Amino acid sequence: MEVLREVQVQSLCILFTGWRMVGSIPKMLRVGGKESVVRENPPACLSDPMLGRHLYVKVKDTKYHYVESGSRRHDMVLCLHDFTDFWYGWRKQLRGLSASYWVVAPDLKGFGDTEKPFLAKHYTDEVILEELKTFIEVLLDSSDKRVILVGHGLGGQIAWKLAEKYPDLFSKLILISAPHPIIWLRNVLRSWRSIYENRWLYECRLPWLPEKSLLENDLEIIDKKFRKSGSVMDLSSYSNFDKEAYKYTFSRQQDWQGPVNYFRNLPLGNSSQTNQEKIKSQVIELDTLFLVGNIDPQVSLEMVSKSAEFVSKFAVKIVNMAGHSPHQEQPEVVNQFINQFVKGDVSYMTRWASKLHQLG
């Protein structure tokens, strides 16, 4: 059965890619489209000393870049970023939390100034989780302190897996717009309509083309990230310098190879990855905080509620006037929630309470 499912995945990959190529013909014929520009010089905001210190560490065969802010005598808050993001996505936390915490924001493998191996085999869960574990141990330098783990989007999925595999490394788990990987994947595969809406995940199975499409119209995907959503999203935390920082970081095709490789390794044809029985064996014994924007188009409260089945004790905070990146859109509110959660000043629920929430 798994072989047949993989054949189905490959068939959908070819079908969706074909549709994209046919749909791109009018754009190719149209005059006046933007060409992709490789940006040679980084904007000044990326070297702003107020954001922290830029450092590197060699983990096995990979050199990781990270930015840290705050005293190393404090508890570490490790921040893992999303797809189409890098360390700079945590700029408001590097400044806003550094008085009380040692805030560490790495570029994930394949992103930013961290090394970018070409092959997808370098981005499997086994490799990434082992490297991040070593990254943490190197920075802690034999300290017995435990880490406050924060993840957003793709970084949140990695955070889930880190907490499941190495729970003794962490004291708290904070998930921003990040349902559990099983719940997220089940949502992708729940219907043909959902598969079509997430067809880009299938297109990632092919080489070169996904990376090339992400560069279209001078990084239109970055423009959309910074575009005002109706009249709701507050863009006061963004600037043209911020957008240029992203366009500089993702302006080359090789800048997208690592990010896309994470999705190339998705088990789209492996039904065991969405098995409800996994919940019984993977409950995480960590205090967990779910943060989600009230206008997030990608993450529903139902997905958050179902994700709560994977933890023993949790709190949920809805960030008003925020979409998929509440820590960037409403940073002061999110920083306050994080502070309250770490200090224990929140109301927790149990996994049984989440069942009642689902029924309600």
Side-chain angles (χ1 to χ4, degrees), residues 33-98:
K34 293 182 182 178
E35 293 186 4
S36 179
V37 177
V38 175
R39 289 156 172 83
E40 302 288 350
N41 299 312
C45 59
L46 290 180
S47 56
D48 183 354
M50 296 296 292
L51 295 181
R53 302 170 290 277
H54 291 256
L55 299 167
Y56 294 84
V57 63
K58 199 68 171 287
V59 178
K60 300 185 182 297
D61 295 324
T62 304
K63 183 171 69 174
Y64 276 80
H65 166 255
Y66 65 99
V67 177
E68 67 170 23
S69 185
S71 172
R72 290 195 171 202
R73 293 192 295 270
H74 294 150
D75 289 337
M76 182 199 294
V77 175
L78 179 63
C79 302
L80 306 181
H81 61 77
D82 195 7
F83 186 77
T84 72
D85 218 329
F86 63 118
W87 72 265
Y88 192 68
W90 300 105
R91 58 196 176 279
K92 300 294 183 177
Q93 286 65 51
L94 284 162
R95 296 188 66 174
L97 298 175
S98 60

Side-chain angles (χ1 to χ4, degrees), residues 80-83 108 149-160 175 178:
L80 306 181
H81 61 77
D82 195 7
F83 186 77
L108 290 172
L149 182 59
V150 185
H152 171 230
L154 172 64
Q157 294 202 19
I158 295 171
W160 273 108
L175 300 155

Side-chain angles (χ1 to χ4, degrees), residues 27 29-35 217:
K27 294 181 181 179
L29 297 176
R30 193 179 303 145
V31 178
K34 293 182 182 178
E35 293 186 4
N217 294 321

Side-chain angles (χ1 to χ4, degrees), residues 205-322:
R205 292 298 182 95
L206 289 179
W208 305 109
L209 290 176
E211 291 90 338
K212 187 172 178 61
S213 70
L214 289 164
L215 292 170
E216 290 178 353
N217 294 321
D218 192 28
L219 294 161
E220 184 180 10
I221 189 173
I222 302 298
D223 290 327
K224 289 180 178 178
K225 181 183 179 77
F226 287 87
R227 191 170 296 157
K228 189 172 182 179
S229 177
S231 59
V232 182
M233 189 179 295
D234 177 12
L235 298 185
S236 61
S237 297
Y238 293 123
S239 72
N240 287 332
F241 294 108
D242 293 334
K243 185 164 76 169
E244 281 306 306
Y246 280 85
K247 288 200 170 187
Y248 165 79
T249 301
F250 290 101
S251 64
R252 304 171 302 167
Q253 187 161 326
Q254 55 264 44
D255 294 328
W256 290 104
Q257 287 169 349
V260 172
N261 277 334
Y262 286 87
F263 292 122
R264 285 195 172 105
N265 289 325
L266 277 177
L268 296 172
N270 188 348
S271 61
S272 67
Q273 295 296 311
T274 61
N275 194 336
Q276 185 75 19
E277 292 300 312
K278 282 181 168 283
I279 294 178
K280 297 180 180 179
S281 62
Q282 293 186 350
V283 174
I284 301 172
E285 298 295 332
L286 284 175
D287 293 352
T288 301
L289 173 64
F290 295 101
L291 290 171
V292 60
N294 69 324
I295 52 172
D296 188 340
Q298 301 179 40
V299 179
S300 66
L301 285 178
E302 180 184 9
M303 294 170 70
V304 172
S305 178
K306 290 179 178 178
S307 297
E309 294 296 315
F310 290 83
V311 294
S312 58
K313 191 168 69 169
F314 67 94
V316 179
K317 293 292 186 181
I318 309 300
V319 184
N320 290 326
M321 308 293 285

